């Protein structure tokens, strides 16, 4: 009789999950402080409080480490629920969405992943493409879908809802996001965000409200 060797089953233990989280937290800090090019596996291991050997058990190189952080950013964004209730009036929805979106974009530490992705997108286009599609474009698509629902009953007069959604988001970012992401200004206050989003909403409706 031929002995059958049981197939190997990989079990992700709570310790594995905890160690991976420890490494990702340490890596995120290093990437934030030093950027992608300045970060090294030695520095990441030191920041995470693990040996370099342990670090390589979980991640083959810093490219894969950074990709894991980008994937986490996507999951975190997915947890944010923007209220696109089709029964709510357009003006209220746009104001609430704009304020929630900019608060998320300009939260403490929120610009670090954008800065790092921008810095390496030319060299690692797949990372840049995934970040755009899973983090940025997904929100534009959700807003565009909401706008389409209000074109049909005649609330809005929009030929290209994808373009209109992008325009609204860009107007909400005006004077807020770029100064923040390039560290030319601190995170904007809630009052300043409300002021800019209010202006963006009025401009948007002046262009697209059905006459």
């Amino acid at each position: 009789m031929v002995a059958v060797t049981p197939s190997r089953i990989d079990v992700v233990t709570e310790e594995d999950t905890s160690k991976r989280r420890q490494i990702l937290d340490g890596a995120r800090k290093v990437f934030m402080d030093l950027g992608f090019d300045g970060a090294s596996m030695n520095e990441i291991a030191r920041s995470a409080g693990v040996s370099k050997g342990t670090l390589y058990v979980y991640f083959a190189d810093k490219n894969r480490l950074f990709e894991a952080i980008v994937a986490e950013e996507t999951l975190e964004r997915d947890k944010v629920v923007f209220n696109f209730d089709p029964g709510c009036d357009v003006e209220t929805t746009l104001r609430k969405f704009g304020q929630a979106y900019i608060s998320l974009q300009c939260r403490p530490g929120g610009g670090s992943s954008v800065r790092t992705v921008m810095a390496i997108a030319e060299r690692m286009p797949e990372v840049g493409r995934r970040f755009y599609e899973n983090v940025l474009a997904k929100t534009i698509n959700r807003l565009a879908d909401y706008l389409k629902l209000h074109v049909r009953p005649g609330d809005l007069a929009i030929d290209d809802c994808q373009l209109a959604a992008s325009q609204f988001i860009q107007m909400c970012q005006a004077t807020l996001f770029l100064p923040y992401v390039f560290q030319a200004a601190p995170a904007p206050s809630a009052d300043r965000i409300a002021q800019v989003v209010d202006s963006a909403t009025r401009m948007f409706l002046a262009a697209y409200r059905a006459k």
Side-chain angles (χ1 to χ4, degrees), residues 33-173:
D33 293 344
L34 303 179
F36 184 83
D37 289 329
S40 67
M41 293 297 267
N42 281 333
E43 194 63 41
I44 291 168
R46 189 178 305 112
S47 175
V50 300
S51 69
K52 196 171 178 182
T54 298
L55 182 58
Y56 280 113
V57 167
Y58 288 85
F59 298 98
D61 52 40
K62 71 175 182 179
N63 288 16
R64 286 171 175 76
L65 240 175
F66 186 72
E67 288 188 23
I69 291 173
V70 170
E72 275 209 334
E73 177 79 6
T74 301
L75 292 174
E76 286 301 311
R77 297 295 185 99
D78 284 344
K79 292 177 185 175
V80 178
V81 179
F82 296 119
N83 185 7
F84 290 122
D85 179 359
C88 188
D89 70 278
V90 175
E91 184 170 350
T92 299
T93 298
L94 289 177
R95 290 181 195 279
K96 289 184 175 179
F97 162 74
Q99 291 180 33
Y101 181 76
I102 298 303
S103 296
L104 174 68
Q105 289 287 85
C106 296
R107 73 193 188 279
S112 59
S113 57
V114 176
R115 284 191 292 269
T116 308
V117 171
M118 288 171 65
I120 66 172
E122 186 173 351
R123 194 176 344 135
M124 298 169 62
E126 281 301 303
V127 173
R129 181 185 59 79
R130 281 199 299 273
F131 185 84
Y132 178 78
E133 291 177 351
N134 296 327
V135 176
L136 304 178
K138 187 178 289 187
T139 302
I140 295 172
N141 294 338
R142 289 169 65 189
L143 177 57
D145 289 341
Y146 169 81
L147 295 175
K148 289 173 188 175
L149 294 176
H150 285 270
V151 170
R152 295 183 193 126
D155 298 333
L156 298 171
I158 301 175
D159 294 326
D160 187 339
C161 288
Q162 201 77 17
L163 171 62
S166 296
Q167 287 171 333
F168 181 71
I169 288 174
Q170 290 296 319
M171 286 192 292
C172 288
Q173 292 180 346

Side-chain angles (χ1 to χ4, degrees), residues 21 130 201:
R21 159 62 39 220
R130 281 199 299 273
T201 302

Side-chain angles (χ1 to χ4, degrees), residues 181-201:
V181 82
F182 288 110
Q183 302 186 68
S189 67
D191 286 344
R192 179 58 180 162
I193 290 174
Q195 181 185 19
V196 172
V197 171
D198 176 71
S199 175
T201 302

